[in-house]
Amino acid sequence: MPHQIQFAPLQGYTDAIYRNAFNTIFGSVETYYSPFLRLENDHSFRNKDLYDINPANNTGLNLVPQILPKNAKETAILTDLVVKNGYRAVDINMGCPFAMVVKSGRGSGLLVQPEEIKAILTEACNRTDLTVSVKIRLGHDTPDELLQLLPVFEQYPLGRLTVHARTTKQQYIGQCHTGHFAQIYQVAKLPLVYNGDINSLQDFEAISAQFPKLAGVMMGRGLLMNPFLAAECHGLTFEDKASMILNFHDQLAEKYSRKLCGEAQILAKLKTIWDYLLPDIEKKRRKAIVKSRTYNSYNTAVSESVKSYFANE
Ligand SMILES: Cc1cc2nc3c(=O)[nH]c(=O)nc-3n(C[C@H](O)[C@H](O)[C@H](O)COP(=O)(O)O)c2cc1C
């Protein structure tokens, strides 16, 4: 039985529209995590967060909203929002490496505040109506820090501990520290999920073989680059990948057109997909996509690029 695959939260990419189109066309993902929900300074919610977790915008998929609290109070407000929207699970972000977030004591800024971690987890886990999970990194400066913190997490009945096998300092680049993850794997009693650079079937198989007892693996950019990856990890194959990508793209275009205003805004949003999608597309074709100024020229560039890309497979 292959490991369960979870779609990582990716702020700016895996919003409700993206998740729904992905799930309809490619699937093979057990759980989707929302990009983090956070509070404004006056403790109000962002409209885009409210839209993103509204159950009406997330039909037919298993969504776990992720929150970015800095203390117990923010945890209470954000978990209330999650429960009011009908969810029975919440994920707490303790891994975001952005300087502003870390400085404010949120995300991976919590890695150096074990007392605040306890306050947040006590608040969240006191809610009997919620399964709580945490997404974290191996450390702030060095990848051995989480091992020291593990006893703190093991005091709580977490549904999952997802570990991105990098440090805060590394942000999203550089080698994942699978050796340090292995040390956690050997001693952890909590259900563990591995995250970081699973970008191919070979990567998935290597992680599954090295860590057979994982509760799952989480993939982020690997799925943005190759949306077939989760299905391929489950042994599925596809005849007409070009049509599936174009269909996916059409669904995104249709939904973003309804939500956003004006050609320029819609095109700008659609072009973000190409930050990652099909990285091996010829340079000149990708350039034609990102430089296009009208919906017509953009569509032609997308259609030609995708067809020519898969014609060579
Ligand atoms: C653009 C971008 C946005 C991200 N947004 C979030 C987020 O909202 N919450 C979170 O926990 N992690 C976020 N991450 C981290 C990813 O969920 C994931 O941990 C990281 O990309 C490593 O996994 P990957 O190598 O499979 O992409 C983000 C990463 C990127 C590159």
Side-chain angles (χ1 to χ4, degrees):
M1 204 33 200
H3 284 321
Q4 289 183 336
I5 295 172
Q6 326 216 322
F7 205 143
L10 293 138
Q11 194 76 236
Y13 295 94
T14 58
D15 58 21
I17 288 178
Y18 185 96
R19 293 191 298 266
N20 282 279
F22 186 99
N23 194 52
T24 308
I25 293 171
F26 306 107
S28 292
V29 165
E30 184 229 355
T31 306
Y32 295 79
Y33 288 81
S34 78
F36 61 73
L37 316 172
R38 67 164 174 80
L39 293 175
E40 300 284 28
N41 288 338
D42 63 358
H43 281 179
S44 62
F45 303 117
R46 297 185 294 182
N47 282 337
K48 80 170 184 118
D49 289 349
L50 297 176
Y51 178 94
D52 200 50
I53 63 157
N54 184 334
N57 300 326
N58 290 283
T59 49
L61 55 82
N62 182 24
L63 177 68
V64 176
Q66 185 189 66
I67 61 173
L68 184 80
K70 77 166 181 186
N71 53 29
K73 185 168 183 200
E74 289 194 1
T75 306
I77 298 170
L78 287 162
T79 51
D80 264 348
L81 174 71
V82 169
V83 170
K84 276 189 188 131
N85 276 274
Y87 295 95
R88 293 289 167 265
V90 71
D91 188 67
I92 305 181
N93 181 321
M94 297 194 184
C96 180
F98 299 149
M100 294 272 282
V101 169
V102 175
K103 217 169 137 195
S104 75
R106 298 180 178 85
S108 67
L110 286 164
L111 276 167
V112 291
Q113 303 184 74
E115 291 310 313
E116 211 63 77
I117 292 178
K118 286 185 201 165
I120 287 171
L121 293 182
T122 302
E123 174 65 39
C125 293
N126 268 346
R127 302 202 62 134
T128 51
D129 47 2
L130 270 181
T131 301
V132 179
S133 60
V134 169
K135 183 162 176 283
I136 199 162
R137 287 173 178 253
L138 281 174
H140 191 275
D141 296 317
T142 58
D144 51 6
E145 295 167 28
L146 181 58
L147 192 60
Q148 311 304 318
L149 268 181
L150 202 57
V152 172
F153 290 98
E154 300 222 301
Q155 290 168 30
Y156 298 90
L158 300 182
R160 295 257 194 283
L161 183 67
T162 302
V163 181
H164 177 189
R166 287 193 175 89
T167 60
T168 307
K169 270 194 170 168
Q170 284 179 284
Q171 303 253 339
Y172 300 109
I173 52 174
Q175 280 288 106
C176 284
H177 299 279
T178 44
H180 288 87
F181 181 84
Q183 292 177 357
I184 308 271
Y185 178 79
Q186 274 150 24
V187 296
K189 293 179 210 76
L190 289 168
L192 264 194
V193 174
Y194 174 87
N195 169 237
D197 278 358
I198 301 183
N199 295 329
S200 66
L201 179 57
Q202 290 73 20
D203 295 339
F204 174 77
E205 286 173 347
I207 291 294
S208 302
Q210 196 179 349
F211 307 114
K213 291 190 191 137
L214 288 176
V217 298
M218 179 180 272
M219 297 179 185
R221 291 163 296 179
L223 290 173
L224 296 184
M225 291 188 274
N226 171 16
F228 300 99
L229 182 56
E232 286 170 351
C233 292
H234 285 106
L236 302 181
T237 53
F238 300 94
E239 297 261 300
D240 190 355
K241 287 184 167 181
S243 298
M244 289 173 74
I245 292 281
L246 290 174
N247 186 8
F248 174 57
H249 185 269
D250 286 350
Q251 287 202 17
L252 294 178
E254 193 218 319
K255 297 274 164 52
Y256 286 130
S257 306
R258 274 197 236 156
K259 184 159 181 267
L260 302 171
C261 243
E263 194 174 31
Q265 216 185 81
I266 297 162
L267 274 183
K269 178 65 202 170
L270 285 172
K271 285 179 188 177
T272 64
I273 306 165
W274 300 98
D275 293 347
Y276 289 99
L277 187 59
L278 308 180
D280 298 330
I281 258 181
E282 279 174 82
K283 262 193 183 148
K284 66 167 199 254
R285 293 198 181 273
R286 187 176 296 279
K287 206 167 159 194
I289 294 175
V290 297
K291 295 275 178 207
S292 54
R293 285 170 180 256
T294 65
Y295 201 62
N296 271 348
S297 60
Y298 170 79
N299 258 337
T300 308
V302 167
S303 171
E304 285 175 358
S305 301
V306 171
K307 283 180 187 153
S308 97
Y309 180 80
F310 286 106
N312 304 326
E313 273 220 331

